[in-house]
Amino acid sequence: MDQQRQITVLQASAITISTIVGVGVLSLPLAAVRAADAGAPLVTLLGAALSILASMLIVWLGMRFPNESYIEYSEKLIGKGLARTIIIIWILYFAILSSLIAREFGEVVITAVLRNTPLEVTVIVMLLLAAFTSRKNIMTFAYIHTFYIPFILVPVLLIVALSLKNADVVNVLPLWGNEPSGIVKGFFMLSTMFQGYFIMMMVIPSMRSPKKAMRSIWLAMLITSILYVLVVSATVSVFGAEETKKLLWPTLELAKDTSLPANILERLDAVFLAVWVTAVYTSLFSCYYFTIYSIGKLFRLQDHGMLSFFILPFLFLLAMLPQSLVQLNEINALITQFGVALTIAYPGLLLLVSLLRKKRGNQKQ
Amino acid sequence: MIGEMYSGYLYMAIAIWIFSGLFNLGVDRTNYGQFEMKKEQKASTVLGWINLSLGVLTFTGAMIIKLLV
């Protein structure tokens, strides 16, 4: 059996879920209430719906070329020159995204956990971890994600469920918020929180049955959407929209307020942060791996291991560039919006060209 | 600029450049040689030297600027 074609449907779903659920989960309710006040759950749901459509585009495209990497079929469809130019932009985007994830992780850790630790240390530790683990093949990549998925999903769902005892339904009414006009702009913004589905472009050629890729993306997006809507609903129902707007990391505050029944254990933010570190690692791992995988495929290298340490110092410098948390959030918003456009427009363009030119890859596995 | 604005992490970046360059040259290049992956071996060599050179040059530049400022 081909060692590189062993990823099952569930593993592919686990990869996608753990890529999506990451550093953004802390500030997700803030983005949602800024867009739609009490209508935050609705705007999150709409953002999820848009992401599901975008992810289906990517998977549909990947299923048409099950034996080729996205770089190979891009070159086939739109020519080498244009494809390579766009892929270089793609690689730069994911490299910057990796550095932003590492930086945001560092900011949260030095604020909430290790207050005397320099920011550089937290950033480099996470980047080093991603660099070391990215040297392995895609099956190791899949195993790592599959291993961590229960540790991410179960505690988050538990904390959300326990927080609901402090919830007040009035805080999430009206369902469409006090300013429904914000919903249209807001749901595009919220869809940036789900853009981890890009990882399917890398996973499909390594799937045991690429024909089942649509099932895995559906499962992944469904679970992530439900999780995110629950997190936003719980936060807004506990704090209310106006209070949530004043919190930098509302999900963390929600975990702080949550306790086990009969107050057996309080301040669950410690548990939540431990889980969150895992979630951030898996997201960063995916972005990092995708970056070096893409560079390796672009230069037709059989192994991408040597690239993992090559890009490390550059990502570290990129991560350290923002001078403050405010600047980081501004850059983050700009980059992620550009990224959503990129991850929808480029695969959409390729799919359109593929359909118009009636080009498919070799369907034999 | 180098002496003031980036002094907090520049030396860490230099250390990472040098470490990654040495790792590529010492470990990756050897491993690829053993598996007779010529293209990857060549790529490791090039990338290793790039990172090592960048680390050494940045360190030299930072020292010179520190002496001048």
Side-chain angles (χ1 to χ4, degrees), chain A residues 94-111:
Chain A
F94 285 106
I96 293 170
L97 192 65
S98 306
S99 62
L100 289 177
I101 292 173
R103 175 59 185 265
E104 198 160 344
F105 166 78
E107 290 285 355
V108 175
V109 168
I110 64 165
T111 306

Side-chain angles (χ1 to χ4, degrees), chain A residues 124 135 299 302-303 309, chain B residues 16 20 24 28 32 39-40:
Chain A
I124 197 59
R135 296 170 59 79
F299 292 101
Q302 286 178 56
D303 185 65
F309 280 110
Chain B
I16 297 163
S20 60
N24 270 347
D28 286 332
Y32 291 131
K39 192 177 178 185
E40 286 73 20

